[in-house]
Amino acid sequence: QVQLVESGGGLVQPGGSLKLSCVASGSIRVIWAMGWYRQAPGKQRELVARAIGDNRIDYADFAEGRFTISRDNAKNTVYLQMNSLKPEDTAVYYCNGRGYPPTNYMYWGQGTQVTVSS
């Protein structure tokens, strides 16, 4: 199995920055893409950013220009640098690994809380 452990969340003021980290372990060769999702209370979990293979990176509209996803393959780690944070960014952020077709199994970390508040 694949285990994902994310860290780096916390309380920041509007306009501040955070960098989240996710370390993958286990059978990581089954993973097709790595990314970040977030979920606020009462709302659906939504994609923030993902990295597919070595070249393709996708961002949600709200993340474009503010957030940056990156990977350190040697450390089996994916990062999410978040700048210019807004109160509406407050959510639990989850590391995600997507398996290869046809199952497209979704692996999830436990989540890390990000709170943006004055």
Side-chain angles (χ1 to χ4, degrees), residues 7-91:
S7 61
L11 174 64
V12 297
Q13 295 188 112
S17 298
L18 280 176
K19 188 174 184 178
L20 308 182
S21 300
C22 173
V23 180
S25 62
S27 301
I28 59 176
R29 286 174 291 181
V30 307
I31 298 298
W32 173 63
M34 294 287 296
W36 293 91
Y37 287 70
R38 71 184 188 185
Q39 187 168 24
K43 295 190 175 183
Q44 291 183 292
R45 190 170 298 187
E46 61 182 345
L47 174 70
V48 178
R50 65 179 179 177
I52 304 170
D54 295 325
N55 302 314
R56 178 179 167 184
I57 298 176
D58 294 334
Y59 292 99
D61 288 343
F62 64 80
E64 185 70 48
R66 296 192 297 132
F67 297 177
T68 302
I69 188 171
S70 61
R71 295 193 294 188
D72 186 335
N73 292 329
K75 296 181 179 180
N76 296 322
T77 302
V78 62
Y79 305 94
L80 183 69
Q81 177 68 50
M82 302 186 293
N83 300 322
S84 302
L85 285 163
K86 306 173 181 178
E88 51 263 45
D89 294 319
T90 296

